[in-house]
Amino acid sequence: MSSVSYHISNLLEKMTSTDKDFRFMATNDLMLELQKDSIKLDEDSERKVVTMLLKLLEDKNGEVQNLAVKCLAPLVSKVKEPQVETMVDTLCSNMTSDKEQLRDISSMGLKTVIAELPLSSSGLTLTASVCKKITSQLIGAMGKQEDVSVQLEALDILSDMLGRLSGTLIGFHSSLLSSLLPQLTSPRMAVRKRSILALGHLVPCCSPALFSQLTEHLLTELAKGPPTSMTRTYIQCLATISRQGGHRVGEHLEKLIPMVVKLTSVEDDELREYCFQAFEAFIRRCPKEMSPHVATVTQLCLKFMTFDPNYNYDDNEEEEENSMDIEEGLEESDEEYSDDDDMSWKVRRSSIKCLEALISSRRDLLLSFYSSICPALLARFKEREENVRADVFTAFSTLLRQTRVGSGHHSLITTTSDPGTSREDEPAVALLKKQVPVIVKALHRQLKEKSIKSRQGCFCLLTELAHTVPGALEEHIPALIPGIVFSLTDKSTSSTMRIDALSFFHVLLLSHPPKAFQPHMQVLVPPVVACVEDTFYKITSEALMVTQQLVKVMRPQGATASAGGFNPKPFIKEVFSVTMKRLKATDIDQEVKERAISCMGHMLCHLGDHLAAELQGVLTIFLERLKNEITRLTAVRTITLVCASPLKVDLSPILPEALSVLGSFLRKNQRALKLATLACLTSLVTHHAASIKPAALEPVLSELPALVDESDMHVSQVSVALLTCMAKACPSSLAKISSSVLPGVFRLVHSPLLQGGVLAAIVDFLQALMMSKTSNLGYSQLLKSLTEPFHSSGPSADSSIVHRQSYHSVARCVAALSSASPKETPGTVASLIQEVKNPGSSESARVLALLCLGEVGRSGSLGGSKEVQGVILEAFSSTSEEVKTAASCALGSMAVGSLSDYLPFLLKEISAQPRRQYLLLHSLKEVISACPASSLSPHVESIWALLFQNCECQEEGTRNLVAECLGKLTLVNPAQLLPRLKQQLKAGSPLARSTVVTAIKFTIVDHPAPIDSLLKDCIGDFLKTLQDKDINVRRVALVMFNSAAHNKPSLIRGLLGAVLPHLYKETQIRKDLIREVEMGPFKHTVDDGLDVRKAAFECMYTLLDSCLEGLDVLQFLDHVEEGLKDHYDIRMLTFLMLARLASLCPAAVLQRLDRLVEPLKATCTTKVKAGSVKQEFEKQEELRRSAMRAVAALLAVPEVERSPSMADFANQIRSNADMASIYQSVQGGDGGGVGPMESMDMS
């Protein structure tokens, strides 16, 4: 300990030296000491150090003073409270001293101290007391009118302090307000501006009463009609307050708006600018309260965005030709009139920014914007002031982005098959398409301007346009090309400009068909080639991407290929030579390397036949890049591309070596590389099997068995697909490893994780294996290996080993084997039937045999054998549930295979056997889901009638099955059947109605279907059941609405206005549905309305994702707030909603924050009664975690801790160990006890 204090006292001694260099070095050493975490000072040293540093602040040498200020920062957290107070007192009194330099240095010191004060709960008392000291001194300093610089410093420090620590100063808020308001009338502009800033920091956390006081003050002052300079200040203050205080201004808007509107007519440009800034703040912060005033504000903006009194825009078109001469003429006559005193551009800029705020915050008014704002913005593209023009472009880009958000169209590449169908429904896009010619006409002139800023603006805007309506620029490409070429070739162009031009060109090439560019290749290729040779790597890299697209344009392949030949020959040489130069270079940026490889790959793929002479050289380089760790992934992908080229590029020179390198990649622990390599090998085996020698495949074959494993299903799927290709293309190689690969494949088949794509791949593989006849394992052996685990001895062992999923997988594989060798099928079927009949066989064997019969029957190879029907019926009366279910699956599958044999039988059984109805309906559901519509249509009437006989069944499970069958049946012939469902709504009992509404749920599928347009017209009628008298029908209607909102939001977007009031009504707790049940000595309350409420809240959650712009978020939040106090399940849902809302619309959440914090706080602080059961504890724990997640999401919103209640709660969490630990663990494990080891495994 003493050594530290000795060292420090030594330094302090040197600080008193007369030599400034000694003082400087000693202070510097002290600063380094203080920055160490380990340093501990005793009280005496603390005092000495503080006194010394405060003395050094008055040092004659400026550098020493600066260092002393820097020492204060680490000192704050190292010394005890009294010392910090001494520091602050001295600094504050220096602030009012007469020496200017001392004042400056002290105010720097104070700012440093404020920035270092601790925010954590432990240091809050210190912070609070220090702040109180500073504040009272500063309020005094501000009153000193005689010296402005003191006032300015005081205001500056106050702003800093309020910005960082406003919450701790709550006691001072009213005195601060009363001392700041008079400063707004100060004769000095700077004082007024800084007062406004300080007020801006004060607003977010002051009480509503103070806020009203401030707003009233501004209103009364403005009403007095003060001189213009004062009015400016008040309006500026108003804009700042609404920006910072957000929603609170909402209550006062009715009085404020007319006042501000009136002021825009005063002839003062700066005042007008401030008025529009105020409007912009109102629109962004209180979109809902602004609704009635939108029209007024829009009118004003449109009027003033063209406000340019000192300039005459020529509207005639001659300007285009003579634009150069006019500009030169202007430059000469500059002396006579200077633009410096023309402020009108500020008015134009602020009104355009205000419009942009309107566009970005009110998506719901998009269509009206296209009629009002869009033409006005287009007309302003000719704006003369560069900064304002940039804002016009930004505003228009925002309009495009808003259109894109709604159209749900996110990919650049237009689908060639049905270009017009999916897009027509979006009216905004249709309006935009009409404007495209006008936009291009206005922009293509600007693309040749000298001004770089406006050209960049043009390219950004055009890029947005290409993203929003892909393909719309096709006929305008000739007009745009000169502009692109100009930006690429112009000598004075900056590198960012070139990159922007290239990236727009890339988007244009992606989103438009090749034939649009082919006529212009002469002009386009040279500048792009020149960019590839540029010295700046970013330009080269962008240019290579563009070149890659140009190669595709020269000779398109696939769907876009047209017979009208464009001859690429003249361009090949120059494009090839620059790309080759970049491909050979090893000392360039990695991005350029990768793109050069990819670009050259596309060249071989599209133009390989013209490059026969160079092919050898290119392939050798590819092989080198394949061996290099940094470029190997790109090289693998590129070789895959070249393999599949229709030009049949000859890869034989590098095949043997490439195969051994690829084989080694399969061992690497890099998943992307593994998958790319497998794809590449599949492509090689498929397209180049003839030139691969069996020996060359060895290194690959030995790696494959290890990859077929359930730990990574996707890799397994791709590996099995590769094996299938080998079985077809080079069967001799496969024979060698079938013995090592098959055990892995069978393990997968028996794995509970197997489904979908992997299963399909295995089925293909087994069939290919049978066809290739190479396997040393015959049909019977394969069959035995597949079914072995199901015949294991003892009834207890099997159920634990074999998972339900594996029965279905094995059945699919058995059916695949039997279809690959048809002559074995009858024998197999007979033995399966024996297996089911044999009373001695285990349950698992019988279940499997039934499922296998079903799968074999699915291909129609059973015929209508009576024996099989008998076996199935017998299984229906088995004692085992598993066997019954398997029998119903099997019956359904067989009926799919031969409808005419089984369907009448199935329908007859459903009517005749009420006790087995559930199982038989399952079979029917399978038939309806799996059969094509054409084969079902003759039977539709009989099925329909049968289903309606059973739609009022008491058993809910059966009713749901009937509904699913009805829904899926409706998809067979929607035009005829949907109206019939609609009629049933009017006719039936509550049970029948609920079945019909559930049926509608099953007609809504997540991919486009022919029924969609019909559903859109009548879904409103089905949603009227939300007002049904029967609570169960209402619940089912909510579930159906939820499904529509999730899978096909377009169906219900237009109906939200009508549906939401009924939806919100269902979220309320209804006392008449709560009843008490006596259970022995205990009374137990049952809430019959809970399920309906839950369904309603689930709908609300879904709407957040799919129809956010159709919701009034504040009204939505009212119901979320109610849900926060509801039942456990509903609270869990509303916590999730709150977290989503905090990220989607933070402004609205901030507006309601104070009301939302309370229920969250209540949940986080509740304790379970001692002696409760374990479930109660777990439930409460889960609730608290979920609430804490919502709190974490709220705390992630910027500016949230300005709300006093939230700041208070955040402090409570930090200071309470229990809550802090939950908060930490929710935060994603930062310090939640998850070490690096555990978190590794999670990935």
Side-chain angles (χ1 to χ4, degrees):
M1 282 309 282
S2 56
S3 65
V4 176
S5 35
Y6 174 69
H7 181 51
I8 286 190
S9 57
N10 234 336
L11 289 175
L12 292 174
E13 200 174 316
K14 285 188 186 149
M15 285 181 193
T16 54
S17 156
T18 47
D19 187 339
K20 65 173 190 294
D21 293 339
F22 270 116
R23 298 200 301 275
F24 179 83
M25 286 316 294
T27 316
N28 197 30
D29 290 348
L30 178 68
M31 185 169 77
L32 295 175
E33 272 306 310
L34 289 172
Q35 278 165 352
K36 292 180 187 163
D37 285 338
S38 55
I39 183 169
K40 293 256 189 307
L41 296 174
D42 51 30
E43 221 160 295
D44 193 34
S45 310
E46 272 183 26
R47 216 176 31 250
K48 284 182 183 160
V49 169
V50 171
T51 325
M52 194 66 223
L53 283 174
L54 291 172
K55 197 170 143 204
L56 285 179
L57 285 181
E58 303 181 34
D59 197 280
K60 293 185 185 62
N61 183 294
E63 289 176 347
V64 177
Q65 282 182 325
N66 286 339
L67 266 184
V69 169
K70 282 185 187 159
C71 285
L72 293 177
L75 201 61
V76 173
S77 52
K78 299 279 190 306
V79 297
K80 297 189 181 54
E81 202 170 319
Q83 303 306 329
V84 182
E85 291 185 9
T86 316
M87 271 156 59
V88 173
D89 278 341
T90 316
L91 289 169
C92 283
S93 55
N94 286 349
M95 272 279 309
T96 49
S97 112
D98 305 335
K99 297 185 195 142
E100 191 176 343
Q101 197 179 9
L102 182 59
R103 278 202 312 254
D104 288 350
I105 217 77
S106 302
S107 66
M108 272 169 65
L110 270 176
K111 284 179 190 165
T112 315
V113 171
I114 289 170
E116 287 301 317
L117 284 174
L119 285 172
S120 65
S121 46
S122 52
L124 274 180
T125 46
L126 160 72
T127 307
S129 60
V130 170
C131 286
K132 283 176 187 149
K133 270 212 151 53
I134 300 181
T135 313
S136 44
Q137 300 254 13
L138 288 179
I139 291 178
M142 267 178 355
K144 292 207 166 159
Q145 292 293 340
E146 60 274 10
D147 194 346
V148 177
S149 56
V150 176
Q151 270 180 311
L152 287 178
E153 288 296 351
L155 284 166
D156 217 9
I157 294 170
L158 202 61
S159 287
D160 268 15
M161 192 155 64
L162 283 169
R164 189 161 179 267
L165 308 159
S166 179
T168 47
L169 297 174
I170 291 187
F172 280 98
H173 281 181
S174 56
S175 55
L176 278 172
L177 186 64
S178 45
S179 58
L180 280 170
L181 288 178
Q183 303 298 332
L184 289 177
T185 52
S186 157
R188 295 291 296 265
M189 188 72 181
V191 174
R192 297 200 300 247
K193 280 202 162 151
R194 290 199 189 175
S195 310
I196 291 176
L197 278 178
L199 282 169
H201 286 301
L202 174 70
V203 164
C205 12
C206 69
S207 66
L210 273 183
F211 188 85
S212 300
Q213 187 191 330
L214 170 59
T215 323
E216 294 299 327
H217 175 82
L218 292 175
L219 275 168
T220 32
E221 289 298 323
L222 280 170
K224 291 178 189 164
T228 316
S229 65
M230 291 315 306
T231 315
R232 278 186 216 157
T233 302
Y234 288 132
I235 292 285
Q236 226 181 336
C237 187
L238 199 59
T240 306
I241 288 175
S242 47
R243 257 196 302 277
Q244 302 284 344
H247 55 89
R248 292 183 168 181
V249 185
E251 297 134 43
H252 308 276
L253 278 185
E254 288 311 314
K255 294 184 228 151
L256 287 170
I257 297 278
M259 184 85 78
V260 184
V261 169
K262 200 171 84 194
L263 289 172
T264 52
S265 54
V266 178
E267 286 293 330
D268 179 273
D269 290 350
E270 282 190 53
L271 178 58
R272 281 182 184 144
E273 179 190 14
Y274 297 148
C275 285
F276 281 116
Q277 284 173 352
F279 282 141
E280 183 189 352
F282 296 156
I283 290 170
R284 285 199 193 277
R285 295 299 187 202
C286 339
K288 188 181 174 192
E289 290 87 342
M290 273 302 280
S291 294
H293 311 288
V294 165
T296 328
V297 174
T298 312
Q299 280 322 108
L300 282 172
C301 289
L302 294 176
K303 175 179 159 194
F304 282 105
M305 69 190 272
T306 56
F307 172 71
D308 199 353
N310 305 324
Y311 188 79
N312 183 16
Y313 287 92
D314 287 338
D315 286 340
N316 50 6
E317 286 302 307
E318 292 163 19
E319 198 185 353
E320 278 199 39
E321 289 82 49
N322 312 343
S323 58
M324 283 308 179
D325 317 342
I326 290 179
E327 272 184 25
E328 282 157 21
L330 277 178
E331 281 167 23
E332 289 157 20
S333 61
D334 257 359
E335 286 81 62
E336 296 143 41
Y337 165 71
S338 142
D339 252 355
D340 294 345
D341 41 9
D342 175 19
M343 283 306 195
S344 65
W345 64 275
K346 288 189 169 179
V347 180
R348 298 199 297 280
R349 186 182 63 179
S350 58
S351 57
I352 287 165
K353 284 196 157 155
C354 184
L355 282 177
E356 197 223 340
L358 197 59
I359 298 169
S360 61
S361 61
R362 296 299 300 263
R363 240 217 103 227
D364 46 335
L365 301 175
L366 194 58
L367 292 177
S368 67
F369 292 157
Y370 267 104
S371 54
S372 58
I373 297 180
C374 174
L377 284 174
L378 280 170
R380 290 312 297 165
F381 280 4
K382 61 171 192 248
E383 166 68 54
R384 65 198 174 102
E385 185 66 42
E386 189 175 274
N387 294 327
V388 184
R389 197 173 350 164
D391 283 319
V392 177
F393 288 156
T394 312
F396 202 83
S397 296
T398 308
L399 184 65
L400 293 176
R401 249 192 312 273
Q402 290 288 49
T403 312
R404 185 156 92 237
V405 172
S407 69
H409 184 91
H410 298 300
S411 78
L412 268 181
I413 322 295
T414 37
T415 42
T416 39
S417 50
D418 49 336
T421 46
S422 55
R423 300 292 311 251
E424 287 317 303
D425 51 4
E426 195 59 41
V429 177
L431 289 173
L432 174 59
K433 279 186 174 160
K434 291 199 188 90
Q435 299 285 357
V436 170
V438 192
I439 299 174
V440 175
K441 188 174 172 214
L443 288 183
H444 84 252
R445 222 184 290 175
Q446 308 251 353
L447 283 173
K448 295 219 187 80
E449 293 257 329
K450 287 197 184 113
S451 149
I452 287 190
K453 197 169 180 182
S454 56
R455 271 189 289 167
Q456 279 181 312
C458 290
F459 280 133
C460 290
L461 200 153
L462 284 166
T463 309
E464 282 293 342
L465 185 61
H467 277 292
T468 310
V469 236
L473 291 169
E474 189 170 344
E475 59 261 35
H476 309 290
I477 283 175
L480 295 173
I481 281 178
I484 298 175
V485 172
F486 172 70
S487 273
L488 292 180
T489 49
D490 179 31
K491 290 283 176 288
S492 60
T493 300
S494 69
S495 52
T496 42
M497 184 69 249
R498 275 192 202 166
I499 293 172
D500 281 354
L502 282 167
S503 74
F504 164 63
F505 189 22
H506 186 228
V507 170
L508 197 64
L509 284 166
L510 276 176
S511 53
H512 293 79
K515 59 175 190 297
F517 301 96
Q518 287 173 347
H520 310 283
M521 292 301 269
Q522 223 80 39
V523 199
L524 289 172
V525 173
V528 174
V529 166
C531 286
V532 176
E533 292 193 296
D534 197 279
T535 46
F536 184 39
Y537 77 95
K538 283 193 171 163
I539 294 184
T540 309
S541 143
E542 278 296 326
L544 281 167
M545 298 241 298
V546 173
T547 312
Q548 182 171 312
Q549 287 304 322
L550 283 175
V551 168
K552 291 184 183 175
V553 169
M554 289 182 199
R555 189 195 281 172
Q557 284 172 358
T560 45
S562 53
F566 163 78
N567 179 20
K569 197 136 195 199
F571 310 105
I572 291 177
K573 193 160 172 254
E574 54 175 331
V575 173
F576 176 79
S577 58
V578 287
T579 313
M580 188 64 177
K581 189 168 140 196
R582 289 295 178 190
L583 182 65
K584 280 181 176 160
T586 46
D587 52 347
I588 45 173
D589 189 79
Q590 182 183 348
E591 195 176 79
V592 180
K593 278 185 195 169
E594 288 178 356
R595 289 184 176 168
I597 295 172
S598 176
C599 180
M600 185 57 87
H602 278 82
M603 271 179 170
L604 291 187
C605 180
H606 289 260
L607 309 164
D609 47 354
H610 292 281
L611 298 170
E614 286 89 356
L615 186 64
Q616 179 74 43
V618 175
L619 290 178
T620 320
I621 298 181
F622 277 175
L623 191 57
E624 279 170 29
R625 297 291 173 267
L626 193 62
K627 293 174 181 167
N628 176 338
E629 189 173 342
I630 292 177
T631 52
R632 62 190 180 191
L633 187 56
T634 315
V636 172
R637 287 178 181 154
T638 305
I639 291 176
T640 315
L641 181 82
V642 177
C643 276
S645 161
L647 300 175
K648 303 272 181 289
V649 181
D650 175 26
L651 297 175
S652 50
I654 60 163
L655 265 182
E657 200 171 344
L659 281 169
S660 78
V661 177
L662 289 169
S664 70
F665 288 168
L666 295 176
R667 276 199 300 274
K668 299 276 186 280
N669 192 8
Q670 189 189 352
R671 190 162 182 267
L673 181 66
K674 248 186 228 174
L675 288 168
T677 305
L678 287 166
C680 180
L681 287 166
T682 310
S683 189
L684 279 169
V685 171
T686 316
H687 298 286
H688 298 273
S691 48
I692 299 179
K693 297 185 181 60
L697 273 176
E698 292 284 322
V700 176
L701 291 173
S702 55
E703 299 301 333
L704 281 174
L707 295 180
V708 181
D709 177 62
E710 64 175 28
S711 61
D712 188 335
M713 280 298 185
H714 187 51
V715 171
S716 302
Q717 180 179 341
V718 186
S719 312
V720 174
L722 172 58
L723 288 167
T724 312
C725 287
M726 286 185 177
K728 292 175 185 162
C730 33
S732 56
S733 307
L734 195 68
K736 293 182 186 159
I737 61 157
S738 57
S739 54
S740 55
V741 161
L742 280 170
V745 173
F746 290 138
R747 268 202 304 282
L748 264 190
V749 175
H750 297 142
S751 155
L753 304 175
L754 181 74
Q755 54 183 332
V758 199
L759 179 55
I762 289 181
V763 166
D764 286 347
F765 171 61
L766 290 173
Q767 283 180 318
L769 200 62
M770 287 306 298
M771 303 285 192
S772 68
K773 302 276 188 295
T774 55
S775 166
N776 35 16
L777 295 169
Y779 176 84
S780 51
Q781 276 163 298
L782 286 173
L783 204 58
K784 182 166 174 287
S785 310
L786 277 171
T787 55
E788 202 163 32
F790 300 88
H791 297 288
S792 56
S793 55
S796 61
D798 49 33
S799 56
S800 59
I801 306 167
V802 180
H803 191 271
R804 280 224 8 226
Q805 177 60 42
S806 5
Y807 287 104
H808 295 277
S809 313
V810 172
R812 286 272 304 273
C813 294
V814 171
L817 284 178
S818 89
S819 70
S821 42
K823 54 180 189 301
E824 305 274 1
T825 309
T828 310
V829 171
S831 66
L832 287 172
I833 291 177
Q834 273 323 106
E835 186 76 65
V836 180
K837 284 181 168 174
N838 173 11
S841 53
S842 61
E843 181 188 318
S844 60
R846 299 223 302 279
V847 169
L848 180 69
L850 282 164
L851 291 173
C852 289
L853 278 173
E855 288 297 337
V856 173
R858 193 184 277 267
S859 57
S861 50
L862 283 180
S865 114
K866 283 279 172 283
E867 188 183 6
V868 177
Q869 289 183 7
V871 168
I872 296 278
L873 282 182
E874 205 175 308
F876 273 151
S877 50
S878 156
T879 50
S880 150
E881 282 300 319
E882 295 287 332
V883 174
K884 285 188 203 170
T885 315
S888 84
C889 276
L891 183 57
S893 302
M894 289 172 199
V896 173
S898 45
L899 267 182
S900 49
D901 293 325
Y902 287 98
L903 193 62
F905 162 71
L906 181 58
L907 297 178
K908 187 174 103 246
E909 287 291 317
I910 292 181
S911 315
Q913 302 270 9
R915 298 205 28 226
R916 294 187 189 156
Q917 221 170 24
Y918 187 75
L919 293 168
L920 291 158
L921 282 168
H922 255 298
S923 311
L924 183 61
K925 183 187 86 177
E926 176 64 30
V927 176
I928 298 174
S929 318
C931 278
S934 52
S935 54
L936 266 179
S937 35
H939 307 282
V940 167
E941 286 307 319
S942 51
I943 301 180
W944 188 266
L946 175 79
L947 288 172
F948 267 109
Q949 285 164 21
N950 294 306
C951 73
E952 299 186 10
C953 169
Q954 289 302 312
E955 183 49 48
E956 189 178 1
T958 311
R959 269 206 320 276
N960 283 344
L961 258 181
V962 170
E964 190 169 348
C965 291
L966 275 174
K968 291 190 167 160
L969 194 60
T970 307
L971 292 171
V972 173
N973 183 352
Q976 212 179 345
L977 299 177
L978 203 57
R980 282 164 66 178
L981 270 183
K982 200 161 115 185
Q983 274 165 335
Q984 289 294 337
L985 269 186
K986 304 185 185 75
S989 63
L991 288 179
R993 287 202 301 276
S994 73
T995 309
V996 171
V997 174
T998 309
I1000 291 295
K1001 181 181 93 172
F1002 288 105
T1003 60
I1004 303 168
V1005 282
D1006 56 0
H1007 48 85
I1011 193 172
D1012 292 349
S1013 53
L1014 299 163
L1015 258 181
K1016 193 164 189 172
D1017 299 334
C1018 69
I1019 195 161
D1021 300 315
F1022 290 107
L1023 285 173
K1024 290 207 176 95
T1025 49
L1026 284 171
Q1027 305 160 50
D1028 200 282
K1029 294 188 289 296
D1030 183 82
I1031 186 166
N1032 192 37
V1033 178
R1034 293 204 302 272
R1035 180 183 64 82
V1036 174
L1038 285 166
V1039 173
M1040 182 267 284
F1041 177 66
N1042 191 8
S1043 170
H1046 182 72
N1047 296 315
K1048 281 247 168 69
S1050 57
L1051 291 176
I1052 51 133
R1053 278 208 180 106
L1055 302 167
L1056 284 179
V1059 172
L1060 283 173
H1062 301 295
L1063 170 65
Y1064 289 149
K1065 193 174 153 197
E1066 294 305 329
T1067 62
Q1068 281 147 18
I1069 298 179
R1070 287 182 43 191
K1071 295 277 189 295
D1072 54 326
L1073 293 173
I1074 299 178
R1075 53 198 168 89
E1076 281 206 335
V1077 185
E1078 292 197 0
M1079 299 171 98
F1082 301 108
K1083 282 191 175 173
H1084 184 61
T1085 48
V1086 176
D1087 183 353
D1088 292 327
L1090 179 61
D1091 284 342
V1092 178
R1093 286 208 305 283
K1094 212 157 119 186
F1097 278 107
E1098 278 164 3
C1099 289
M1100 285 170 64
Y1101 184 64
T1102 309
L1103 288 173
L1104 276 187
D1105 272 346
S1106 57
C1107 309
L1108 183 65
E1109 62 275 7
L1111 301 174
D1112 169 352
V1113 179
L1114 293 176
Q1115 189 188 3
F1116 188 90
L1117 271 166
D1118 287 337
H1119 298 284
V1120 172
E1121 192 187 327
E1122 286 310 303
L1124 289 170
K1125 306 165 190 156
D1126 204 325
H1127 181 269
Y1128 167 80
D1129 294 335
I1130 289 172
R1131 270 154 75 194
M1132 294 294 273
L1133 262 172
T1134 44
F1135 292 147
L1136 283 173
M1137 277 192 250
L1138 204 51
R1140 283 289 292 139
L1141 280 162
S1143 67
L1144 291 171
C1145 23
V1149 174
L1150 286 177
Q1151 207 160 336
R1152 283 293 153 83
L1153 201 56
D1154 298 344
R1155 283 157 49 181
L1156 296 167
V1157 172
E1158 279 319 303
L1160 285 172
K1161 207 178 200 168
T1163 305
C1164 289
T1165 50
T1166 344
K1167 294 269 187 289
V1168 186
K1169 290 193 198 83
S1172 301
V1173 285
K1174 181 166 173 244
Q1175 281 91 331
E1176 270 302 306
F1177 279 107
E1178 283 168 3
K1179 229 169 166 181
Q1180 185 57 39
E1181 194 50 36
E1182 199 36 59
L1183 258 182
R1184 289 175 68 186
R1185 288 182 66 81
S1186 193
M1188 207 49 105
R1189 277 193 198 95
V1191 174
L1194 288 175
L1195 287 173
V1197 177
E1199 307 180 1
V1200 75
E1201 288 205 34
R1202 287 178 171 181
S1203 137
S1205 54
M1206 192 69 199
D1208 183 44
F1209 186 28
N1211 283 330
Q1212 194 179 340
I1213 293 175
R1214 290 186 194 117
S1215 53
N1216 173 329
D1218 186 23
M1219 290 205 285
S1221 74
I1222 300 181
Y1223 180 72
Q1224 281 293 339
S1225 64
V1226 166
Q1227 277 289 53
D1230 313 340
V1234 180
M1237 288 313 290
E1238 289 102 309
S1239 55
M1240 284 294 287
D1241 294 343
M1242 283 158 40
S1243 68

